[in-house]
Amino acid sequence: MDNGIDTQTRVPRDFESLRSNIIERKNAMPKRLAQVAAFALGNPDEIAFGTTASIAAAAEVQPSTLVRLAHHLGYEGFSDLQSIFRERLRDRTLSYEERLVTLERSGTENEEASILSGFLSAASQSVNKLAATIETETFAKAVDTLAAAETIYLIAKRRSYPLTAHMAYAFSKLNIRHQIVASPNGIDSEIARFATEKDAAIAASFSPYAADSLAQAQDLASRNVPVIAITDSAFSPLTACATHWFEVAETDFAGFRSMSASMALVMAFPVAIAERRRKGAAKADKTKME
């Protein structure tokens, strides 16, 4: 097989490297291959569990397209590519107890110091990666959109929920009207339906994506409510309904993913929005005086 790729050195053998490789090459991929690649990154569990026939049907392509994608990426065949998704699943489904056992087996003399160092290193890597890749122009446009909104709706579930909880706290302190879409009595969708075109939303979700968050973001977008998305891939289902979106790939330590880069991003939003509104109000006052 000749793909123009040195399979010994360049073919990704872990999921994160594969994800990065696909994102880097997606614009150059033929349409059908890009369609399958997007499906694979958006539905990694289905790729890991499914058969060639079931995956092809779900992705709405021919089974041969899966093989073509594998070859295009430098793999021997689809089963070789599928093994990366299965390995990811094994890593992700480790219970917290199993992760702790893995740490214990590392055999370091000062276990507590090693754990702390590991998490600090993962946090540092995550923040540095975001700093190197984030587009400040996109951030400025997102702030424009949010600063103009009457109410900012905050959408996140499970692991992503702390991001919106922190923004809700910051928005409250900065007198920015907001509504966190999280209710103990299960009326999240009803809360989101109050949003209008004059409002905006920030939605955060990472693989495996929360179905409720996706549904709410998609519903808002369908009603012309601007959605600012925070997610982990260019192929994330959130990007399709987002006015602006940010890719945040968090580094993990022993299977525990950092939230440091995501938290840094959401801490910046309330302050930037408040500052944009302050400057806008000052400019309006100056115009009135003239």
Side-chain angles (χ1 to χ4, degrees):
M1 178 179 61
D2 182 8
N3 299 313
I5 298 175
D6 183 348
T7 58
Q8 296 300 313
T9 60
R10 298 186 59 188
V11 175
R13 301 313 309 183
D14 64 88
F15 182 76
E16 286 304 317
S17 297
L18 173 61
R19 186 184 68 84
S20 297
N21 182 279
I22 290 175
I23 291 171
E24 289 174 2
R25 301 174 60 182
K26 70 184 181 70
N27 291 332
M29 284 185 184
K31 182 179 179 180
R32 286 298 183 190
L33 297 191
Q35 178 181 334
V36 177
F39 178 83
L41 293 190
N43 304 271
D45 290 358
E46 187 157 346
I47 301 298
F49 284 121
T51 64
T52 302
S54 68
I55 295 168
E60 300 181 343
V61 297
Q62 294 297 317
S64 60
T65 308
L66 302 180
V67 179
R68 286 174 52 214
L69 175 64
H71 289 168
H72 184 79
L73 295 172
Y75 294 93
E76 292 297 325
F78 181 68
S79 61
D80 189 21
L81 173 61
Q82 189 179 40
S83 68
I84 307 301
F85 289 85
R86 288 176 174 171
E87 187 63 33
R88 166 199 171 272
L89 189 63
R90 282 192 288 270
D91 291 342
R92 184 173 63 80
T93 55
L94 283 176
S95 70
Y96 279 89
E97 182 62 29
E98 289 170 325
R99 296 177 193 182
L100 293 175
V101 170
T102 299
L103 282 174
E104 183 178 342
R105 288 174 179 171
S106 64
T108 56
E109 292 185 5
N110 192 335
E111 185 176 348
E112 290 75 16
S114 178
I115 292 173
L116 176 59
S117 176
F119 278 107
L120 290 175
S121 177
S124 177
Q125 291 178 45
S126 298
V127 172
N128 288 339
K129 188 185 301 182
L130 179 62
T133 58
I134 194 167
E135 297 179 356
T136 54
E137 183 178 348
T138 302
F139 180 75
K141 290 179 180 178
V143 170
D144 282 340
T145 299
L146 295 166
E150 290 186 355
T151 302
I152 299 173
Y153 285 76
L154 305 175
I155 299 171
K157 301 292 185 289
R158 300 199 302 262
R159 172 176 170 265
S160 305
Y161 179 76
L163 302 178
T164 50
H166 178 80
M167 282 191 286
Y169 174 81
F171 283 143
S172 296
K173 291 294 185 179
L174 294 167
N175 296 318
I176 296 172
R177 183 182 297 173
H178 64 283
Q179 174 64 61
I180 189 166
V181 183
S183 60
N185 55 350
I187 58 169
D188 292 12
S189 296
E190 287 79 0
I191 292 173
R193 286 181 195 147
F194 283 104
T196 72
E197 296 179 17
K198 296 180 180 180
D199 302 316
I202 299 176
S205 189
F206 305 93
S207 179
Y209 307 103
D212 286 347
S213 294
L214 297 180
Q216 289 157 16
Q218 290 163 354
D219 176 65
L220 291 173
S222 72
R223 295 190 285 111
N224 298 318
V225 179
V227 175
I228 308 303
I230 300 170
T231 189
D232 57 359
S233 169
F235 288 120
S236 163
L238 269 183
T239 65
C241 63
T243 308
H244 303 292
W245 61 273
F246 299 88
E247 180 182 354
V248 185
E250 299 279 8
T251 301
D252 75 88
F253 172 64
F256 296 90
R257 279 182 291 176
S258 167
M259 289 287 286
S260 304
S262 305
M263 189 60 74
L265 178 60
V266 302
M267 288 172 69
F269 272 123
V271 177
I273 293 166
E275 182 65 6
R276 183 65 55 85
R277 289 185 173 182
R278 185 188 67 81
K279 288 183 177 179
K283 185 177 181 180
D285 290 341
K286 183 178 180 180
T287 300
K288 288 180 181 179
M289 292 177 64
E290 294 175 351

